[in-house]
Amino acid sequence: MKWKQQLDGMQAYKPGKPIEEVQREYGLQEVIKLASNENPFGCSPKVTAYLQNQAVNHALYPDGYAQNLRTAVAKHVGVQETQLLFGNGSDDIIAIITRALLYPGVNTVMADPSFSQYWHNAEIEGAEVRKIPCIEGAHDLDAMLVAIDEQTSVVWVCSPNNPTGVVIPDGALRAFLAKVPSDVLVVLDEAYIEYVTHPEHKDTLPLIEEYPNVILLRTFSKAYGLASFRVGYAIAQPEVIAKLDPVRAPFNNTILSQAVAAIALDDQGYIRACREANEKGKKQYVDFCEKHNLTYYPSDTNFIFFDSQADSDVIFQELMKRGFIIRSGNALGLPGFIRVTIGTETQNAALLAHLEEILTAQGVFA
């Protein structure tokens, strides 16, 4: 068959092990998944109540324009409805952008490490991928600017960055955007925006007015606790959305996903409570790292990325035997580091107790 050459040797995305598989493999009654940055508190109780009482006609296609959700998001964010694009998760929007703008002969610039789907989709489209190493977990914006040339089509900026958790301060971001050529699309991926508490971070919405080549990506999969419903969205100038929308598959959000996302959006009190709980949980990990002199990156997300000073694959396996699924840095480009989703206070305390035992056995701690 006449496969794309770009697919040679390419691997499918490998998510963390499912809970059921780990339970079977190790004979465990309970497994806590802290690998994919889901909200450990789940979704808004209002969503749960809706799902328990709402009957849906499953024979009908959903609204391809997502009108009700579109109106809710436009009102919440404060933009025109024509400035929104909805995807089957923000992964879908990343694929839409790459399909629309990347092809052989152009290049795309991104930080490394950062979200793998940027380069994965770019390679499928045959574009040149330019990865710029992070500095202490942060985007090297100056080096990224140097990498941009006349053939650059898309620049990916992940803030806060996945997997390091580091957010880009407003001043640095604006200085960067002011120097990016106006014909280069800058994708500002803000999957974790609801968790940001950094004092130098400011509302990014005005950026799309000042820089029409900027598009913001956001999702309901993280803080809103709706990962299984797969709803992401983009915010940009109407002209940018109008060019991308024909690439979108029809009916790419379900009837249920559109409904529950609108309900979750309306419960901002729940989001604030989750953010506050996340800050307390984050402190548990920071205290652990500082107690044991482990290097960690300052996180503005619901996960933390730190150096275990051991083989992170071994740490991953040992924690899994004890009923905890995390992410090894070997899979993310930084061996020795581990990425842990911040769970509930009880989950965090239990994981850290096991981790202390494991690192002691590995000779990291005396």
Side-chain angles (χ1 to χ4, degrees), residues 16-215:
K17 277 196 174 187
I19 290 174
E20 295 78 10
E21 182 180 340
V22 175
Q23 285 177 317
R24 287 194 302 269
E25 185 174 350
Y26 295 103
L28 299 168
Q29 292 296 315
E30 182 183 18
V31 172
I32 297 169
K33 185 185 176 191
L34 297 175
S36 301
N37 309 332
E38 296 121 333
N39 187 338
F41 304 102
C43 61
S44 163
K46 294 181 179 180
V47 170
T48 304
Y50 171 84
L51 292 172
Q52 290 173 340
N53 298 299
Q54 184 65 27
V56 173
N57 186 343
H58 298 288
L60 300 179
Y61 281 109
D63 173 11
Y65 192 64
Q67 183 62 69
N68 290 340
L69 178 58
R70 183 178 298 273
T71 299
V73 172
K75 181 180 179 181
H76 174 74
V77 177
V79 297
Q80 304 171 45
E81 293 186 2
T82 53
Q83 290 183 265
L84 297 172
L85 178 72
F86 290 92
N88 184 28
S90 49
D91 304 276
D92 185 26
I93 300 176
I94 291 168
I96 290 170
I97 291 169
T98 56
R99 190 177 180 192
L101 285 160
L102 297 181
Y103 46 86
V106 303
N107 67 69
T108 181
V109 177
M110 64 198 68
D112 184 34
S114 196
F115 188 42
S116 63
Q117 292 305 289
Y118 308 149
W119 61 262
H120 181 85
N121 283 280
E123 288 188 352
I124 290 173
E125 299 303 330
E128 178 193 352
V129 175
R130 297 181 176 179
K131 296 182 180 181
I132 309 303
C134 287
I135 298 177
E136 297 182 355
H139 285 52
D140 186 348
L141 296 176
D142 290 338
M144 291 176 71
L145 283 170
V146 172
I148 297 172
D149 60 23
E150 293 181 357
Q151 282 70 51
T152 302
S153 185
V154 180
V155 174
W156 306 89
V157 178
C158 189
S159 180
N161 188 36
N162 180 11
T164 64
V166 178
V167 74
I168 301 173
D170 181 72
L173 180 59
R174 286 177 173 275
F176 172 76
L177 293 175
K179 297 177 182 177
V180 176
S182 60
D183 63 346
V184 174
L185 183 71
V186 179
V187 183
L188 181 55
D189 190 345
E190 301 182 308
Y192 301 92
I193 189 70
E194 290 83 9
Y195 288 111
V196 175
T197 59
H198 196 290
E200 293 182 39
H201 180 272
K202 294 183 180 179
D203 181 17
T204 54
L205 197 62
L207 296 176
I208 62 175
E209 298 295 331
E210 298 174 42
Y211 305 99
N213 60 324
V214 170
I215 185 169

Side-chain angles (χ1 to χ4, degrees), residues 136 164-167 198 282 286 296-301 303-305:
E136 297 182 355
T164 64
V166 178
V167 74
H198 196 290
K282 189 192 307 180
V286 169
Y296 67 93
Y297 293 126
S299 175
D300 269 275
T301 64
F303 63 83
I304 187 165
F305 199 50

Side-chain angles (χ1 to χ4, degrees), residues 227-240:
S228 66
F229 286 96
R230 313 303 301 126
V231 185
Y233 63 99
I235 313 169
Q237 288 296 326
E239 295 78 12
V240 174

